[in-house]
Structures are given as C-alpha cells and as structure tokens.
C-alpha cells in the first residue's frame, strides 16, 4: 500500500509514452502492431483535464468564455486605460444667443425730495408713495394739475413737461371756529373782517366752501344755530416738494455717477430749456438733440449728461454700458415703437466674453476688445411693461449633452455631458463587481448552512432547512424596492447604497445554494471515502470542508456561474427602476434608465441599445459558461 | 396521500408564520420618521379629496398593524387581522387593500395566463426537439435562444418592443390599458375587450420572451435524461418505431418533472409581473404594488408581501403534490 498512487496506471502510461517518443526516431519506419494497453489506444486523463477537454469541446461555452474575457478586460483594464472617467463632464465652446442689454421705459417714476431735510417728513413720504397713482390719474384725464385733499393736507401735483411731475404740500386745513348764521356771529380764535357777511350768504346758498382773502373756509352745518368752520390756509414760502420723473440720466463718461442734487437742479429748470442754469458754481445749458433726447452741456459747451426716456442697462442689471450704445439703443427702440415692430437686427461692435474666464476679453491696454456681431432686438412684454432685449451670439462654455458618436466620444455623450463609453466601462465594472460580491456572499452563507445541515442531519438539518424555506419564500425584488425607497427618502450616499444592496442581495439569496449543498452532502456522506475519513479520526470541520465541500465544488461552480448572471440582471433591473446604484455612479441599468422617456428612447438609441446588448451578452456568457461547465462536469449527459 | 398533504400544509403554515414575521420585522424597523413623513404627505395629498388626516392614517396603521404594541405583540395582532382578511386601507390607493386587489388581480391573471399558455405551447415541443437532436444545429439554436431569453433583462425587452412596435411601427400604444380615443360610455363589452387585449400584446410578448427560455432548457435537460434511461434503450431494442419511442415512452416520462414545475408556477399567475406591468402601466397587482412600495404604502406592501409568500408556498405545495400524484414511483411517506 505504501507506494500506492491513485493514477498509477496513468503515470506508467506517461512514462512509456516518453520512452516511445525517444525511440520513435530509431524505429519510426517500423509499423508495430498496437497492443491493448498501448498509449496510442488508451489515454487516461486526470479528472481536471477531462473536464477541461470536454469544456473546450463545447463551442457555446468557449464563445461565452471569450465574451467574458473580453468583457473583463474591457471593464477592468479598459476602464483604467480609457482617457475619460465616469464623471468627467465634457464642454464645448459654442455660440449661444444671450441677452446683452435691456432697453425700455422705466415702469415707475423716480422721486426726489427737493430738500433733503424733507426725507423724514411723514406727510411728504405719504405723497411719495401715492405719487405714481396720482400721475396715472392725471395722465388718464389729460390734466396738467391735480389738487388732492388728503386728511388735513392739500397736495398739488403739476406736470412740468412730459415725464416730469412736481408735487408739493400746498395748504393745510385747521379748525377755525363756529358761526351762528342767525345771529351772524363768528366764534373763533382770531377775527377776520368781513368774513361774517360772506359766510351768511354762503350758508343761505348752502355752499360747502367759500373763498375769502386767499383762504378757503369749509362750512359744515351742525345745527340751525351752529355751523362749524375749518380753514384751508395756503402755505407761504418754500414748499415741501417732490420731483418725480421717468427720464433717465446718462453721463457722457459712463463710469461717472450723477449726483441726485444735479438731477433735481436739471428737473427744476427743465420747463424752460432756453435758459442756462447753475448748479454748484458752474452753469449748464440745455440742448435739444431730437424730440426726446436732451443734452446738458457744461460751460465749455461739451456735452455732460444725456437725458433720455429710455433706460438702457446691461443684462445683469448693471449700468455699465457706454453712452454710444445707449443712444443707439434708444434710437432703435424709438424706431421700433413708432413702427410698432417687435424685432430688429443690426451690426454693432460688442464685447465678447472669454468662455474660460467668463470675463470680457481685454487688449494689452486693459480695454475691452470689441468685435462686430449681429445684434438682434426682441420685444418682450410682461405685465404691461415693454422692454427690448438686445442679444447676440456669445461664445460660451456649454456641456456637450447627447452628442452623436464621434472620434472623440466613441458612443457620444449622455444627458449630463459624460462620455457614454467611459460610463459603459465603469458601469460594467460596478455590475460585475456587484455580481461577484453577491455570489461569493451567497455561496459562503449557503455552503456553511447547507454543509452543517447536510453533515449533521437530525434536528439541525430540520431547523436549517426550515430557515431555508422561510428565506426562499421571501420575495427579493419587493424587499429591495421597499428598502430602496427608504434609502431614497434619506438620500443615502450612492456608495453606501451599493454596499447595502450587495449585502441584502447576498442575505436574501443564499437559500438555493444551501439546498444544493445539503442535497449533495447527504448523498456524499454515505460514501466510502467519508467512512474512511471518519475512521482516520479527522476533525469534523476538516471532514466537512476538506472532504465533502470539494466534492460539491462542481455543482457549486456551475450554480455560481449561473447565479452571477442572475445577480447582474437583478442589479440592472433595480438600477433601471432608479432604485439600485444611483447617479453619479454608472451602472448599465441606470444608463438605460436615463434615456427611458419616449423621446429619449427614440432619439438616443446609440446610448441605450449598446448598453442593453452588453448586459444581455454578459449574462448570456455567464450562462453559456455555466452550461458548458455543467455538461463538462456531468458526463452522464453525453450520449 | 391525505396525510402527506395535511403535513405539507401544516408545514407551509409554519413557514408562512416565520416568513411573515421576518417581513413584519423589516417593516417594523423602518425608520419612524419615514413612516410619519409618508403619512403626512399622504394626508396633505388626500385632504383635497376628503381623505383621512395624518393622525387618522397613523392611528389606523397602529391599530391594524399593532405598530405600538412592540414587535412580537404587534405581529400577532397584525396576523390576527390578516387571517380575518383585514389588511387595512391602502395609503396609496385610498381604499381597502383587498378591494384594490380584487379590482386589479384579473388583469394580472389573464396577462400571466396568456403568456403562460403560449410559452408552454412553444417551449415544450422545442425542448423535446433539441434533446432528440443533441449537438445538432437545431439543438444549438434552441439552446442559444433559450439562453438569450433567460439572459435578457425584462426592461430591455420591453423597451425594444416599445421602440419597434409602438414607436416605429405604431401598431400598439406605448403603455396603458386603453387607447387614447377609448370612451367607456360608447364601448360595448366586445370593443372594450378588444381594446384591452390590444394593450396586452406587448406585455404578453415581453413575458413570453423572458420566460420561454427557462422552460425550454428544463424540457431539454429532462428529455436528455430520459433518453439516456434504460427503458428507452429497451424500447428501441425491441424494435419500436422512433416516433413511438419518443412520443410515447420518452415524452410521457419527460412530462413528470414538467407537469410538476408547471403546476407549481400556477399560483404565480396571481402574483403579477412587477416590472412588466410597471413598464407598460397595466393596472395589475404588480403595478399597484410597485407604486405602493415606492410610495411607502405600508398596508398594501404588507398585503402584497403576504400574498407573494402564500403564492410561493402554494406553488411549492402544488408541485410536491403533483410530483407524488404524477409519478407512481414516488412513495409518499
């Protein structure tokens, strides 16, 4: 027994074969008759070689293996070598028509207090708030002056010129006293000569007010013998005044701020444009350019401020445009308003934004470089307000979404500007990784549980098998969906989700393997080699894991290979439903999900079809290999 | 035989008890804030339609599901209600779970049934054919097709079918149960049936495509096993014509495991097709439960999970019993 070797015959045959090969050259011409045990007739292979040989004969299995090798190289090596990552966004610089400037009349009047001290006067503040509505009232009735009595105060609002209004406190009402119409007596704090006669006639004529000596007296009948009087006294001297305007002041040097006091001075003198006025210690004069645009020149006759009815601002809201553009814009808007046209386009020198720095291009002197572009004007009306937008093509950095396949991007880019091929490679990595981790987890759990159940039998077996039954009847997909929606609600990190998904799939999936292992072990347990192992006094764990489990390996390997495909399918289905691996991590499932709307499905077949085919190919390959392995391990199937 | 069935039935009840306990534990362990926020959303959504308030929903959940009685006590109180058919009101569908179930189940059932029948009619003959001519071109084709069927993800098949038949050819609608111009008042029973049937074509095709591979492979493997058996050699040896050997001796024996597995999958017709129904927006049990589960509708989810467990157990039971009935060699004890 000492020199017993299991493949004794095989070794002998091999030796003989070697010898014959050596002697072949010597007597190759001889044609010896074949003996029964001749190595040319009988070839004994080791079990592994036998399985390999059978496996290699299976064309489908080889195809599957080839696909898997390609897939693995692609996903693991290819992903490392491919220049782009899964979350590399791609940009392109392309012209995009953007708003440059907005031009239009102001929607509300700008109000200035003539005296700064009036700023805190509550009465005047009240007027300021209501100014716009008074102006609207005047405009609608075409009045040039409006007197409003509000409480005890009379306001007067006057139109100076178009778009300039002045409002001030004109008079104040006070209680004057009482008057007895029968006796003709006035009871008041002061005596006004001749008022009594005027009042008597007014009461007889049932007038509500009467004017006397520049004041207005209001009459209110209390009883037959008593009339209460109140007097509206005009305010003398400097009145508290607000000037409101819709005119826009633009300094010739557009960086210069125009002082509010200067504006007030201009507006106060705007009624008479022939007269020069002084502000500070300088004098200025008006000059009419056309019907709407005024120019204010300083002493030397140079234009200092342009006044226009249009406000032209940069699209960002800043007042940073230079005057030439503003005047050009105002003239265009005038023309459009006159023609009642909505669009216009013209050539103009405009600045370009550098797409990388997002700043204007500057030349060496620090001036903005201007290029000639076609500027389009578009009218937009919102809530009764009319503004004109000036737009032209600006070069901007854009995310390249849904780009068709090209040399730079083999399969184009997706809706986030990611390279589709890079995402396929990385997605495959995740899918394969999930597959392997889950199957290995399942197998470890299954082998331990099944091994224990099969080996010990009895109540341990019953207990474990009932546990298997319980896990078998828990539906995997619904459980995964519920947990995924909980993860969604808590916005769990994508990597953590991935981890939990693998753990859960493993825990929910071990029952099949446990059943298989137990069944195998039950039959193997009764075989002679196990009795021998027991007789040699081996430890239980060694007997299970060294002697029994290796014998279960063939079935285990087959079921693992097939299981891999299944897990990849489950993972991709979950990801497709948006419940598995989440953005920005790529998997094949969520790549298809990202283009699952009808429109995207139709237009972007080059994104989802290759991905779907890859899922399918990988799963098929695993199944082919599993099938091939099963056939190879199980020669019974051969006819 | 009767004793065997009773024994298996009792075992199934025990398994169901523990399986549902596991599921209940899982639902019980859902973070409270998740349950509460779902209930709150639900209350705000349903308040417009005169639904229940947030507190009413939570109270009802606590009452029906014993969420306030601790894990074990709660489980027993839920089980007590469930056994009487009281699964509570679905949050998502705003009606009792059982009512929603009875409304949608037949859609699922008929979809599953049609797919099941067609699958069986195609798969079994092809499987037998492949086994008869092992390693021939027919065999490779059948094996390839069945493997492709198994390997295709449902959603991919559905998307491809939609693209080809609904978007490009425009023979069918992309999803839904009725056409856009369908008016319930004008429809007779027959036109209504036709309309629904038309919308079942693509989902049924998807199910057939995905399901046919497994059955085909199973048939082939079993037929191969039978063809290797001694009694087939005997039949051939005694000079029976090949058609009789295959059609009579081999096929009938192949049928044993197939009938078992087909019988076992019958209860599955009631569990609906989760992904297919969702993708085609067919108002079946799978679709209803998908939206319940993603929407945190705990009552309907529990109902669906219990249903699934029962159906799985029933399937196992049926296939075990059928195995014992169909194959006289199996001794029942």
């Amino acid at each position: 027994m000492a020199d017993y070797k299991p493949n004794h015959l095989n070794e002998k045959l091999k030796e003989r074969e070697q010898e014959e090969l050596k002697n072949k050259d010597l007597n190759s011409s001889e044609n010896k008759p074949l003996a029964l045990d001749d190595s040319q007739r009988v070839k004994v292979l080791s079990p592994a070689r036998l399985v390999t040989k059978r496996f290699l004969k299976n064309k489908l299995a080889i195809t599957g293996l080839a696909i898997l090798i390609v897939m693995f190289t692609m996903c693991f090596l290819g992903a490392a070598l491919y220049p782009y990552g899964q979350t590399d966004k791609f940009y392109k610089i392309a012209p995009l028509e953007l708003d440059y400037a907005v031009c239009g009349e102001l929607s509300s009047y700008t109000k200035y207090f003539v005296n700064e001290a009036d700023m805190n006067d509550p009465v005047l503040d009240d007027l300021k708030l209501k100014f716009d509505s008074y102006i609207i009232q005047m405009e609608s009735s075409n009045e040039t002056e409006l007197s409003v009595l509000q409480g005890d105060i009379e306001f007067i609002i006057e139109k100076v010129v178009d778009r300039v209004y002045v409002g001030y406190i004109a008079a104040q009402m006070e209680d004057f006293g009482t008057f007895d119409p029968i006796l003709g007596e006035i009871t008041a704090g002061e005596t006004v000569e001749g008022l009594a006669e005027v009042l008597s006639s007014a009461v007889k004529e049932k007038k509500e007010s009467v004017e006397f000596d520049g004041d207005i007296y209001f009459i209110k009948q209390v009883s037959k013998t008593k009339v209460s009087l109140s007097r509206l006294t005009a305010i003398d001297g400097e009145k508290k005044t607000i000037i409101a305007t819709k005119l826009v002041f633009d300094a010739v040097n557009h960086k210069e701020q125009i002082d509010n006091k200067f504006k007030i001075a201009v507006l106060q003198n705007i009624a008479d444009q022939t007269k020069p006025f002084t502000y500070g210690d300088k004098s200025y004069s008006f000059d009419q350019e056309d019907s709407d645009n005024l120019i204010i020149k300083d002493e030397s006759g140079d234009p200092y401020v342009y006044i226009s009815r249009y406000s032209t601002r940069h699209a960002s809201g800043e007042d940073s445009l230079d005057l030439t553009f503003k005047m050009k814009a105002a003239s265009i808007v005038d023309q459009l308003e006159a023609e009642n046209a909505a669009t216009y386009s013209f050539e103009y020198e405009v600045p370009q934004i550098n797409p990388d720095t997002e700043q204007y291009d500057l030349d060496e002197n620090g001036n903005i470089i201007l290029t000639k572009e076609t500027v389009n004007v578009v009218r937009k009306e919102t809530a009764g307000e009319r503004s004109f937008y000036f737009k032209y093509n600006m070069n901007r950095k854009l995310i390249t979404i849904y780009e068709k396949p090209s040399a730079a991007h083999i399969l184009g880019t997706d809706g986030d500007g990611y390279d589709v091929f890079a995402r396929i490679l990385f997605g495959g990595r995740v899918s394969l990784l999930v597959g392997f981790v889950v199957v290995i987890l399942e197998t470890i759990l299954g082998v331990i549980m099944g091994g224990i159940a099969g080996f010990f039998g009895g109540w341990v077996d019953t207990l474990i098998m009932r546990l298997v039954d319980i896990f078998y009847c828990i539906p995997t997909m619904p459980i995964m969906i519920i947990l995924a929606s909980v993860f969604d609600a808590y916005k769990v990190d994508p990597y953590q989700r991935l981890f939990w998904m693998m753990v859960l799939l493993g825990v929910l999936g071990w029952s099949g393997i446990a059943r298989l292992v137990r069944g195998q072990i039950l039959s193997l347990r009764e075989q002679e080699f196990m009795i021998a192992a027991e007789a040699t006094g081996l430890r239980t764990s060694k007997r299970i894991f060294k002697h029994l489990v290796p014998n279960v390996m063939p079935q285990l390997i087959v079921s693992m290979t097939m299981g891999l495909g299944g897990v990849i399918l489950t993972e991709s289905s979950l990801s497709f439903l948006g419940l598995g691996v989440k953005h920005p991590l790529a998997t094949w499932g969520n790549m298809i999900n990202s283009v699952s709307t009808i429109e995207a499905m139709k237009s972007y077949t080059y994104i989802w079809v290759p991905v779907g085919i890859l899922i399918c190919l990988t799963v098929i390959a695993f199944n082919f290999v599993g099938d091939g392995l099963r056939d190879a391990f199980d020669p019974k199937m051969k006819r | 035989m009767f004793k065997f069935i009773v024994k298996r039935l009792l075992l199934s009840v025990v398994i169901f008890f523990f399986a549902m306990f596991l599921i209940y534990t899982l639902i019980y362990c859902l973070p409270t804030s998740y349950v509460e926020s779902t209930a709150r959303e639900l209350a705000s959504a349903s308040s417009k339609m005169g639904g229940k308030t947030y507190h009413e929903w939570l109270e009802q959940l606590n009452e029906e599901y014993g969420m306030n009685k601790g894990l074990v006590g709660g489980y027993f109180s839920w089980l007590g209600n469930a056994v009487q058919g009281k699964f509570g009101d679905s949050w998502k569908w705003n009606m009792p779970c059982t009512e929603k179930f009875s409304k949608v189940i037949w859609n699922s059932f008929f979809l599953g049934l049609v797919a099941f029948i067609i699958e069986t009619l195609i798969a079994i003959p092809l499987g037998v054919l492949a086994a008869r001519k092992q390693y021939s071109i027919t065999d490779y084709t059948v094996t390839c097709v069945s493997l492709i069927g198994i390997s295709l993800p449902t959603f991919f098949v559905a998307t491809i079918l939609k693209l080809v038949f609904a978007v490009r050819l425009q023979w069918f609608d992309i999803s839904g149960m009725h056409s856009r111009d369908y008016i319930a008042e004008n429809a007779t029973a027959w036109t209504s049936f036709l309309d629904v049937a038309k919308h079942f074509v693509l989902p049924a095709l998807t199910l057939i495509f995905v399901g046919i591979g497994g059955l085909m492979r199973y048939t082939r493997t079993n037929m191969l096993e039978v063809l290797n058996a001694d009694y087939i050699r005997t039949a051939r040896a005694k000079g029976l014509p090949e058609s009789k050997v295959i059609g009579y001796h081999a096929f009938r024996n192949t049928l044993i495991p197939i009938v078992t597995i087909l019988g076992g999958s019958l209860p599955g017709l009631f569990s609906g097709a989760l992904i297919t129904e969702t993708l085609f927006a067919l108002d079946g049990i799978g679709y209803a439960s998908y939206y319940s589960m993603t929407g945190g509708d705990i009552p309907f989810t529990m109902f669906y999970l219990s249903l699934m467990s029962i159906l799985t157990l029933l399937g196992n039971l049926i296939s075990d019993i059928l195995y014992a009935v169909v194959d006289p060699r199996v001794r029942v004890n």
Side-chain angles (χ1 to χ4, degrees):
Chain A
M1 284 299 277
D3 58 351
Y4 170 76
K5 281 179 192 159
N7 41 10
H8 186 62
L9 177 63
N10 203 11
E11 295 297 314
K12 270 276 166 67
L13 282 168
K14 274 184 188 167
E15 274 166 32
R16 188 175 294 179
E17 198 176 4
Q18 292 292 322
E19 255 172 51
E20 271 179 14
L21 270 173
K22 271 185 209 162
N23 299 337
K24 211 172 182 181
D25 295 332
L26 302 174
N27 45 15
S28 56
S29 53
E30 282 178 54
N31 211 345
K32 281 204 276 183
L34 290 170
L36 245 185
D37 62 344
D38 199 300
S39 68
Q40 278 170 310
R41 287 184 59 122
V42 184
K43 208 164 197 173
V44 181
L45 296 173
S46 75
R49 276 181 73 185
L50 203 66
V51 168
T52 318
K53 201 181 140 196
R54 278 206 221 101
F55 182 79
L56 292 178
K57 258 178 74 182
N58 192 331
K59 285 172 210 149
L60 284 182
I62 290 301
T63 320
L65 196 65
I67 295 175
L68 281 187
I69 289 170
V70 170
M71 215 63 89
F72 270 82
T73 353
M74 207 177 83
C75 292
F76 286 90
L77 204 63
L81 295 178
Y82 196 65
Y84 312 136
Q86 58 175 330
T87 50
D88 286 354
K89 264 198 172 98
F90 291 92
Y91 298 92
K92 64 180 172 195
I93 289 166
L96 188 68
E97 198 178 66
L98 290 173
D99 292 345
Y100 172 62
V102 189
C103 178
E105 281 194 42
L106 293 178
S107 59
S108 63
Y109 280 79
T110 318
K111 291 119 204 156
Y112 303 100
F113 292 98
V114 172
N115 297 317
E116 258 176 67
D118 296 340
M119 205 109 75
N120 301 321
D121 188 332
V123 179
L124 210 57
D125 213 42
D126 191 40
L127 173 65
K128 189 186 167 187
L129 286 176
K130 291 172 178 159
F131 216 115
D132 277 306
S133 55
Y134 293 145
I135 292 172
I136 292 169
Q137 193 184 331
M138 287 168 75
E139 278 172 351
S140 62
S141 58
N142 239 338
E143 289 170 51
T144 52
E145 194 178 318
L146 181 74
S147 146
V148 189
L149 189 64
Q150 197 168 19
D152 298 337
I153 313 282
E154 188 194 18
F155 295 118
I156 296 213
I157 295 147
E158 286 169 5
K159 181 175 177 178
V160 183
V161 290
D162 269 353
R163 297 185 183 81
V164 181
Y165 289 81
V166 171
Y168 52 87
I169 299 174
Q172 194 150 13
M173 185 103 79
E174 57 197 2
D175 281 337
F176 183 68
T178 55
F179 174 67
D180 189 334
I182 297 168
L183 294 177
E185 271 176 18
I186 298 173
T187 322
E190 55 179 302
T191 47
V192 181
E193 289 293 323
L195 180 62
E197 290 79 54
V198 179
L199 283 175
S200 304
S201 60
V203 171
K204 270 181 204 152
E205 288 164 32
K206 300 210 165 167
K207 278 189 184 169
E208 282 188 346
S209 63
V210 66
E211 199 173 340
F212 182 78
D213 200 13
D215 294 331
I216 299 172
Y217 294 88
F218 287 86
I219 303 161
K220 200 175 171 194
Q221 192 97 33
V222 179
S223 66
K224 272 193 178 165
T225 56
K226 196 180 173 193
V227 167
S228 73
L229 292 173
S230 35
R231 183 172 66 173
L232 192 64
T233 322
I235 291 168
D236 298 329
E238 199 183 0
K239 297 184 178 90
K240 295 179 171 180
T241 312
I242 290 180
I243 293 183
T245 183
K246 266 192 181 179
L247 294 177
V248 180
F249 293 75
D250 290 311
V252 171
N253 176 5
H254 68 88
K255 281 170 189 151
E256 192 176 320
Q257 283 282 326
I258 304 167
D259 195 28
N260 274 354
K261 281 183 182 162
F262 179 78
K263 292 184 187 172
I264 293 167
V266 171
L267 292 170
Q268 277 175 332
N269 293 293
I270 205 164
D272 188 4
Q273 291 170 7
T274 53
K275 223 162 56 183
F277 65 98
T278 54
Y279 169 70
D281 40 1
K282 288 178 188 164
S283 92
Y284 297 90
S285 60
F286 285 99
D287 189 6
Q288 180 102 28
E289 195 190 50
D290 53 51
S291 60
D292 281 307
N293 296 327
L294 284 172
I295 303 170
I296 293 172
K297 293 182 170 167
D298 58 16
E299 280 164 315
S300 54
D302 293 331
Y304 172 57
V305 164
Y306 279 79
I307 301 175
S308 147
R309 51 193 277 221
Y310 298 111
S311 142
T312 310
R313 295 285 176 267
H314 191 265
S316 63
E318 285 171 26
D319 184 11
S320 59
L321 298 168
D322 61 5
L323 194 68
T324 38
F325 183 82
K326 283 181 175 172
M327 288 171 71
K328 174 88 180 161
S331 70
I332 287 169
V333 170
D334 255 344
Q335 185 191 336
L336 287 173
E337 289 276 32
E339 291 168 5
N340 198 19
T343 54
Y344 184 77
S345 59
F346 61 102
E347 296 263 317
Y348 200 77
E349 300 259 314
V350 280
Q352 270 295 355
I353 286 177
N354 188 328
D356 291 320
T357 56
E358 305 242 317
Q359 299 285 330
Y360 283 121
D361 280 329
L362 302 177
D363 62 12
E364 60 269 25
N365 301 329
N367 295 322
I368 294 171
I369 300 172
L370 299 176
T371 48
K372 203 158 202 127
E373 294 279 351
T374 312
V375 181
N376 294 316
V377 187
V378 177
R379 184 174 69 188
K380 274 186 195 165
E381 275 180 78
T382 41
E385 244 178 74
R386 204 183 287 183
S387 10
F388 292 82
Y389 285 81
F390 290 71
K391 358 174 124 199
Y392 60 89
N393 281 332
M394 301 184 200
N395 285 332
R396 301 315 289 268
K397 205 166 158 186
L398 305 177
I399 298 174
T400 54
I401 58 165
Y402 294 129
E403 196 149 278
K404 288 259 185 295
S406 61
H409 305 289
I410 301 171
L411 287 172
T413 57
D414 67 3
D416 295 304
Y418 300 144
D419 183 87
V420 172
F421 191 65
R423 287 189 69 83
I424 286 182
L425 296 181
F426 282 90
R429 211 147 82 158
V430 171
S431 292
L432 290 172
L433 189 79
V434 170
F436 271 94
V437 171
V438 170
V439 164
I440 287 170
L441 198 66
E442 270 177 17
T443 311
I444 292 173
L445 277 173
V447 166
I448 293 175
M449 300 299 261
I452 293 172
F455 185 80
F456 291 104
W459 66 269
V460 180
D461 182 28
T462 318
L463 189 75
I464 290 178
M465 286 329 282
R466 290 299 83 80
L467 198 64
V468 166
D469 284 337
I470 289 167
F471 270 90
Y472 182 74
C473 101
I474 292 177
T476 311
M477 203 68 181
I479 298 279
M480 293 307 295
I481 293 175
I482 296 167
L483 290 173
S485 68
V486 176
F487 285 156
D488 269 356
Y490 283 87
K491 299 189 172 58
V492 177
D493 173 68
Y495 284 96
Q496 267 187 16
R497 282 183 77 128
L498 186 64
F499 171 77
W500 281 110
M501 193 169 84
M502 295 193 290
V503 169
L504 281 164
L505 282 176
V507 168
L508 289 171
W510 60 272
S511 55
I513 293 197
R515 256 189 197 160
L516 177 112
V517 172
R518 172 192 173 257
Q520 283 294 312
I521 286 184
L522 274 185
S523 66
L524 287 172
R525 194 172 67 161
E526 308 300 326
Q527 287 186 11
E528 285 84 354
F529 72 93
M530 281 315 292
I531 301 170
E534 202 175 349
T536 46
L538 287 176
R539 268 181 290 122
T540 319
S541 62
K542 206 164 184 183
R543 263 166 33 220
I544 297 180
F545 294 107
K546 273 243 150 152
H547 291 259
L548 279 177
V549 172
N551 277 295
V552 188
M553 262 345 230
Q555 277 82 359
L556 214 55
I557 289 171
V558 171
S559 109
M560 278 170 79
T561 325
M562 303 287 226
L564 266 168
V567 172
I568 289 174
L569 274 186
T570 313
E571 182 272 327
S572 62
S573 299
L574 274 171
S575 300
F576 173 76
L577 294 172
L579 301 167
V581 180
K582 283 277 193 179
H583 188 87
L585 279 185
T587 67
W588 289 341
N590 71 16
M591 286 181 73
I592 296 187
N593 175 43
S594 66
V595 283
S596 62
T597 59
I598 297 162
E599 271 314 306
M601 190 173 92
K602 220 163 63 177
S603 320
Y604 310 122
T605 38
Y606 57 88
I607 295 178
W608 65 269
V609 170
V611 179
I613 289 172
L614 277 181
I615 300 177
C616 189
L617 268 183
T618 313
V619 181
I620 289 176
F622 276 120
N623 281 332
F624 276 169
V625 172
D627 228 31
L629 280 174
R630 193 202 343 244
D631 283 354
F633 281 130
D634 194 1
K636 219 172 49 174
M637 282 296 162
K638 275 192 81 97
R639 267 208 282 190
Chain B
M1 188 68 197
F2 178 71
K3 253 174 87 180
F4 168 75
I5 293 174
V6 169
K7 200 179 142 197
R8 284 299 319 249
L9 212 57
L10 285 177
L11 195 62
S12 298
V13 169
V14 174
I15 292 170
F16 174 76
F17 178 84
F18 284 106
M20 281 323 289
F21 183 67
L22 269 185
I23 292 172
Y24 183 87
T25 312
L26 183 89
I27 298 284
Y28 190 88
C29 291
L30 287 186
T32 347
S33 56
Y34 173 70
V35 178
E36 279 176 7
S37 68
T38 317
R40 195 164 287 137
E41 268 170 35
L42 186 81
S44 66
S46 67
S47 62
K48 291 169 208 141
M49 304 173 284
K52 297 178 186 168
T53 64
Y54 155 68
H55 283 289
E56 276 173 335
W57 281 114
L58 271 193
E59 248 166 54
Q60 196 201 1
L61 181 76
N62 281 336
E63 192 184 315
E64 304 268 346
Y65 285 72
M67 291 294 189
N68 49 0
K69 290 181 196 156
L71 184 59
V72 179
Y75 178 60
F76 277 102
S77 97
W78 172 80
L79 199 65
N81 281 324
V83 166
Q84 297 167 41
K86 282 191 229 156
F87 284 92
D89 291 352
S90 161
W91 293 10
K92 170 92 190 170
W93 310 105
N94 216 357
M95 59 171 89
C97 292
T98 40
E99 193 187 320
K100 179 71 188 169
F101 171 74
S102 57
K103 261 190 178 172
V104 298
I105 185 60
W106 297 113
N107 288 334
S108 286
F109 178 75
F110 286 114
L111 176 67
L113 189 70
V114 168
F116 178 76
I117 291 173
I118 298 176
E119 240 174 75
T120 317
L121 289 183
I122 298 176
I124 293 180
L126 282 182
V128 170
L129 192 71
R132 271 183 63 193
K133 304 180 176 172
Q134 201 190 5
Y135 298 130
S136 70
I137 293 186
T138 327
D139 183 29
Y140 274 121
T141 318
V142 168
T143 314
C144 266
V145 169
S146 65
L147 274 176
I148 289 172
I150 294 172
S151 317
L152 274 174
T154 317
F155 62 88
F156 188 57
V157 179
T159 319
I160 292 266
L161 287 178
K162 277 182 180 182
L163 181 74
V164 174
F165 294 103
V167 178
R168 295 263 182 258
L169 296 175
Q170 308 207 327
W171 290 353
F172 304 104
D173 284 355
I174 284 218
S175 60
M177 292 276 288
H178 287 293
S179 307
R180 211 172 301 161
D181 49 2
Y182 172 82
I183 302 159
E185 287 83 42
N186 302 349
T188 61
W190 174 243
T191 53
S192 167
F193 170 77
L194 277 185
D195 192 51
V196 173
K198 199 178 158 195
H199 288 80
F200 271 35
V201 174
L202 289 186
L205 268 182
T206 310
L207 284 183
I208 293 169
F209 223 91
V210 174
I212 203 166
L215 191 59
M216 213 138 79
R217 245 158 72 107
Y218 193 71
T219 315
R220 174 181 174 268
T221 318
N222 280 303
M223 189 73 180
L224 279 181
E225 221 161 278
V226 169
L227 286 176
N228 278 325
D230 293 339
Y231 54 82
I232 296 296
R233 199 175 307 130
T234 315
R236 288 210 177 101
K238 74 179 182 187
L240 282 180
E242 188 66 12
S243 62
K244 198 155 190 189
V245 173
I246 300 293
Y248 193 76
H249 292 260
F251 184 62
R252 284 176 64 165
N253 278 293
T254 316
L255 271 186
I256 295 173
I258 292 175
V259 165
T260 316
I261 202 170
L262 287 185
S265 61
L266 276 178
L269 297 181
F270 287 94
S271 65
L274 192 70
I275 295 172
T276 313
E277 282 175 21
T278 309
L279 290 182
F280 285 99
L282 286 189
D283 197 12
I285 185 82
Y287 175 80
S289 58
Y290 175 77
Y291 283 102
S292 300
M293 286 185 292
T294 50
D297 174 359
I298 292 174
F300 198 85
T301 304
M302 278 301 279
F303 170 74
Y304 178 66
L305 289 173
S306 348
L307 179 77
M308 291 286 277
S309 307
I310 293 177
L311 291 176
T312 314
L313 288 169
L314 206 62
N316 284 352
L317 190 68
I318 291 179
S319 60
D320 277 4
I321 295 171
L322 271 180
Y323 195 55
V325 171
V326 176
D327 194 349
R329 287 169 298 187
V330 176
R331 290 273 177 278
V332 176
N333 48 33

